[in-house]
Amino acid sequence: MGSELGWWIHLLVVILIVEEIGRRVLFAYLGTEKIVPKTEEMTAYSVVERTDERLVIGATIPFANEGKQCATIMDAILRVQLPYEQYDGALVRGKVELAGAPREDDYFEAVLIQKRECIDLVLKLSIEGRKGNNLEEAIAHMPDFRMDLIYQETGRIPAHYSKIMLKITAAEIAALAGVALVEEGGRKNG
């Protein structure tokens, strides 16, 4: 009985190995998706909206599918790396949306990218004064900060997350807002 069970386990392991090898050979032949963010082609930030209380700036980043199969970006998040411990004078929020399909909510609607095609994603940063600062004061004291563009992609390859690290300087934001940066600690922010 024990040797028969061992034989079935060995057979099952061999079948699983052959299946995996077959899958890899098939994918190598048919190809898979390959989503490539074109960070070098990202546009410069520009003002999207400006009120007395809020500044919204945006940039466009192309995403290409350089693979042999259709791909899907299922989710995209722009995570701002500006914790209150670093700077609590402004509330900065990030958002990602498909170019030409703006949304009022923060939901990212999944999008297909056909093989050898490119789509544009729009990154938006909303900046508001916090802790009694008006918008100009908040921007004048703001430091440089990073953002993580996190996106979930899938196709023939199982769904997985990828991340791009981006940086924006206080000088870029101040120039867009028309605000002068304040000298702090003997040197200018940025």
Side-chain angles (χ1 to χ4, degrees):
M1 177 81 167
S3 65
E4 187 176 313
L5 178 62
W7 183 86
W8 283 108
I9 291 173
H10 284 99
L11 179 62
L12 179 62
V13 169
V14 168
I15 289 172
L16 291 173
I17 291 171
V18 168
E19 177 190 17
E20 181 63 21
I21 291 170
R23 187 179 70 81
R24 289 178 186 240
V25 167
L26 179 65
F27 284 176
Y29 175 73
L30 295 177
T32 60
E33 73 284 351
K34 182 180 177 186
I35 295 178
V36 179
K38 303 290 187 171
T39 54
E40 68 281 355
E41 296 176 25
M42 184 174 157
T43 64
Y45 287 92
S46 61
V47 176
V48 174
E49 176 188 340
R50 169 101 192 235
T51 66
D52 290 339
E53 296 83 31
R54 184 169 71 141
L55 173 69
V56 179
I57 59 176
T60 302
I61 183 169
F63 275 70
N65 180 359
E66 296 179 352
K68 295 181 179 179
Q69 298 293 326
C70 181
T72 304
I73 296 181
M74 296 170 56
D75 195 10
I77 304 159
L78 186 60
R79 184 167 184 257
V80 175
Q81 299 288 327
L82 184 61
Y84 290 159
E85 293 84 5
Q86 181 183 1
Y87 179 62
D88 65 355
L91 175 62
V92 183
R93 292 191 173 144
K95 177 179 176 178
V96 183
E97 49 191 37
L98 179 65
R103 294 185 63 105
E104 291 297 318
D105 56 5
D106 288 338
Y107 182 78
F108 182 86
E109 188 174 347
V111 61
L112 294 175
I113 309 175
Q114 296 299 328
K115 61 183 178 182
R116 296 180 187 83
E117 286 190 2
C118 190
I119 64 165
D120 290 331
L121 295 184
V122 178
L123 313 179
K124 288 185 178 177
L125 284 175
S126 171
I127 304 165
E128 298 177 28
R130 187 173 176 277
K131 289 215 159 181
N133 290 329
N134 64 32
L135 181 62
E136 286 76 21
E137 292 168 337
I139 291 172
H141 295 276
M142 184 172 282
D144 299 348
F145 60 91
R146 288 189 351 204
M147 299 165 287
D148 292 336
L149 174 54
I150 304 165
Y151 57 97
Q152 184 182 27
E153 58 181 280
T154 191
R156 288 189 183 270
I157 296 174
H160 62 281
Y161 285 95
S162 298
K163 177 171 83 169
I164 309 166
M165 289 189 291
L166 304 168
K167 183 178 180 181
I168 188 163
T169 65
E172 287 177 86
I173 296 170
L176 290 169
V179 173
L181 291 176
V182 173
E183 296 274 340
E184 298 209 23
R187 65 173 232 232
K188 202 161 212 140
N189 288 350

